[in-house]
Amino acid sequence: MSLRRLWLLPLVMLLASCTTDPIMKDTAALPPGTGIMVANVLVTSVGGVPYPPLSIKVDKLHGLSTSTTLNLPRQNNLIVIELPAGEYSWTTLELGSHGGGATMSYQMPFTIEPGKINYVGDLLLTLNSFHKPGGTPTCRFRIADQSNYWFPVVAKYYPELSHAYPTVVHLTEDQRPMNQMR
């Protein structure tokens, strides 16, 4: 096999892993006072940690609202959902299934503007010491701005939404104390 073909194999694998199952329908009609949240959650592990079932919650900061739980079935999860406009926060990461694993709580706020596609960032999660005997699960969060990559992907999967609504960047704010970041 030539080196050129060998080089293409990892590229094809990378592109195949970026496919998404759209969470919402592509329609150009949003309810009044609603915006679209776009985020990517990428989960990696240290030391061969197996990928456990994961979910993360989004809570509205003001007013009465129930948490939105987002399941993360893959290591690379593009999230595109409708949310009422307002201030939100990523609040709880659940490792394991149905409360049988660990829960980590955070306050990492972001904004959803009405009538806009709101990119809130890439959440990069690194798991370590999960499922090790006697070890407590830890997770390191980082926020990255990959909007230049994700806006064209969203436009491909949601052409009607992308033509009807402007896109804005409202990166998640990491307000955790420095000692919680590791």
Side-chain angles (χ1 to χ4, degrees):
M1 181 181 286
S2 72
L3 286 176
R4 184 178 215 174
R5 287 183 187 169
L6 192 59
W7 176 83
L8 286 175
L9 182 61
L11 180 61
V12 169
M13 291 173 59
L14 175 65
L15 291 174
S17 71
C18 292
T19 61
T20 181
D21 298 319
I23 296 173
M24 61 178 288
K25 292 184 179 189
D26 183 29
T27 176
L30 283 177
T34 301
I36 302 296
M37 178 186 92
V38 174
N40 187 58
V41 181
L42 178 64
V43 184
T44 59
S45 64
V46 174
V49 174
Y51 187 79
L54 288 172
S55 65
I56 193 164
K57 290 186 180 182
V58 174
D59 287 318
K60 195 163 186 186
L61 294 178
H62 307 291
L64 298 174
S65 172
T66 59
S67 295
T68 301
T69 300
L70 304 166
N71 292 319
L72 307 172
R74 297 174 296 278
Q75 289 183 302
N76 193 8
N77 301 274
L78 177 61
I79 298 167
V80 180
I81 60 171
E82 248 178 59
L83 288 174
E87 301 297 316
Y88 286 84
S89 182
W90 299 100
T91 57
T92 307
L93 177 69
E94 294 178 348
L95 291 86
S97 57
H98 308 295
T103 300
M104 291 172 235
S105 296
Y106 298 102
Q107 288 289 322
M108 297 181 359
F110 59 88
T111 301
I112 298 296
E113 285 188 60
K116 295 184 180 174
I117 298 172
N118 299 265
Y119 170 76
V120 301
D122 278 46
L123 274 69
L124 310 171
L125 311 176
T126 303
L127 303 175
N128 56 34
S129 71
F130 189 76
H131 293 298
K132 287 186 179 177
T136 56
T138 60
C139 183
R140 182 173 183 196
F141 280 89
R142 288 183 318 151
I143 308 298
D145 181 356
Q146 298 293 324
S147 55
N148 289 336
Y149 175 80
W150 289 114
F151 283 147
V153 171
V154 170
K156 176 183 173 185
Y157 287 104
Y158 300 93
E160 287 187 41
L161 278 172
S162 296
H163 285 74
Y165 299 103
T167 55
V168 293
V169 175
H170 289 296
L171 286 184
T172 298
E173 297 174 38
D174 191 350
Q175 298 179 339
R176 295 171 295 140
M178 289 302 285
N179 62 354
Q180 287 186 4
M181 296 178 88
R182 296 186 189 251

